[in-house]
Amino acid sequence: MFNVALIGKTYNDTIVFVDRCYMGETNDCNKIVERRGGIYNFFQANLKNSHYDLFEFGSKTVYIISDKHSSMRTSFVYDESPSVVYMDDVDKINEKCDWAHVSYVDDFESFSELIHLKKPYSLDFCTTKDRKGYADVMRGASIVFDSRERKSLYGDINIDTPIIFHDQYGSEVVQNSKTIWEKRIVPISGLNVNGAGDIYAGIFLEHYFKLGIFKSIEIAMDKTTNILREKNEKI
């Protein structure tokens, strides 16, 4: 069993599912769901060989519009309490887990202690904040995940750590400011994509040790798409 520490804020999500959102107009919704988001999205992947220990720091209230027509999600967030990681927390993670994954490190108010993680770790991002402030913690990571729509934020980031950019068109790996691998897929329209990045990361990590980075990306793309299709049928 692969023991993974999932590190992140507690996101209290209210998700509004719509066929199509018209801004400035009255919109009908298909469903409204209240649930935990962030690191809790990993459980939607139903992975059999990974055990998760949750380390939650701080909290946010989140309102999400999940637009089926555009296959996009838009969120509105409100901070309830800050995310601060202390050395005692890092020591517990080092003792209990084989791997640590930090969901949305750019949403932490204090994350500098993470560089003391002795186990391999991965990072994910969720905002458009300047990435230069995260260069040190990215250098210490084994893998960095981000949406390809935010790739421009990495123009001044030159690190040996592989950065996996992903979107509905596929994935690419950038290392030392160069794209070293890319895989394109045909985008599927009409999907509710909330939580897709976390599901993708969870599937990738479960296969990474045995299959390496490129094969694990291919599996993550394929399985994430299938999960989103299944979720869509239930809405």
Side-chain angles (χ1 to χ4, degrees):
M1 187 66 69
F2 186 47
N3 294 312
V4 181
L6 295 180
I7 305 167
K9 278 191 174 181
T10 300
Y11 293 92
N12 298 305
D13 292 354
T14 298
I15 310 169
V16 179
F17 295 93
V18 298
D19 286 333
R20 187 169 186 171
C21 183
Y22 297 92
M23 299 304 294
E25 297 293 342
T26 301
N27 293 271
D28 291 323
C29 59
N30 299 322
K31 191 176 184 179
I32 299 175
V33 175
E34 294 182 354
R35 57 181 295 271
R36 292 282 175 88
I39 56 179
Y40 286 86
N41 290 328
F42 274 68
F43 294 99
Q44 296 184 53
N46 295 316
L47 300 171
K48 306 300 182 184
N49 298 312
S50 297
H51 170 78
Y52 297 125
D53 286 303
L54 306 186
F55 293 84
E56 298 176 74
F57 304 96
S59 63
K60 271 190 172 179
T61 296
V62 186
Y63 299 94
I64 298 168
I65 299 173
S66 183
D67 188 324
K68 182 178 178 181
H69 174 77
S70 64
S71 293
M72 295 180 67
R73 44 94 68 199
T74 302
S75 62
F76 303 85
V77 300
Y78 177 78
D79 279 307
E80 298 287 355
S81 59
S83 301
V84 180
V85 181
Y86 297 102
M87 270 307 301
D88 286 349
D89 303 310
V90 173
D91 290 340
K92 291 177 184 177
I93 295 167
N94 286 330
E95 290 173 8
K96 295 187 68 173
C97 300
D98 304 310
W99 187 282
H101 178 77
V102 185
S103 285
Y104 319 149
V105 65
D106 50 335
D107 216 9
F108 276 61
E109 282 72 26
S110 176
F111 60 88
S112 60
E113 299 294 354
L114 293 173
I115 63 174
H116 298 293
L117 284 168
K118 296 178 181 178
K119 300 296 175 70
Y121 67 88
S122 48
L123 305 173
D124 206 349
F125 290 82
C126 70
T127 74
T128 57
K129 292 177 182 176
D130 190 336
R131 296 295 188 259
K132 286 184 287 187
Y134 303 90
D136 288 342
V137 72
M138 284 195 282
R139 286 191 186 94
S142 296
I143 297 287
V144 173
F145 299 94
D146 207 340
S147 171
R148 187 149 43 186
E149 66 188 14
R150 294 190 284 266
K151 184 180 176 181
S152 62
L153 299 174
Y154 293 80
D156 295 324
I157 302 297
N158 187 348
I159 58 175
D160 193 50
T161 303
I163 305 172
I164 300 174
F165 294 106
H166 53 87
D167 61 11
Q168 68 269 36
Y169 299 101
S171 301
E172 66 178 294
V173 181
V174 173
Q175 192 172 29
N176 297 314
S177 299
K178 296 181 180 179
T179 297
I180 62 170
W181 184 89
E182 185 172 7
K183 176 83 173 191
R184 293 187 176 276
I185 59 174
V186 178
I188 299 173
S189 60
L191 292 179
N192 290 289
V193 298
N194 187 62
D198 301 303
I199 295 169
Y200 177 103
I203 296 169
F204 172 90
L205 292 176
E206 180 159 78
H207 294 89
Y208 175 61
F209 272 136
K210 289 185 178 181
L211 300 178
I213 185 170
F214 305 133
K215 185 62 177 177
S216 298
I217 290 174
E218 291 179 338
I219 293 172
M221 288 192 295
D222 183 57
K223 290 191 173 182
T224 300
T225 299
N226 290 336
I227 290 170
L228 293 179
R229 280 173 168 162
E230 292 172 4
K231 287 174 57 182
N232 194 71
E233 291 172 358
K234 297 176 182 178
I235 296 174

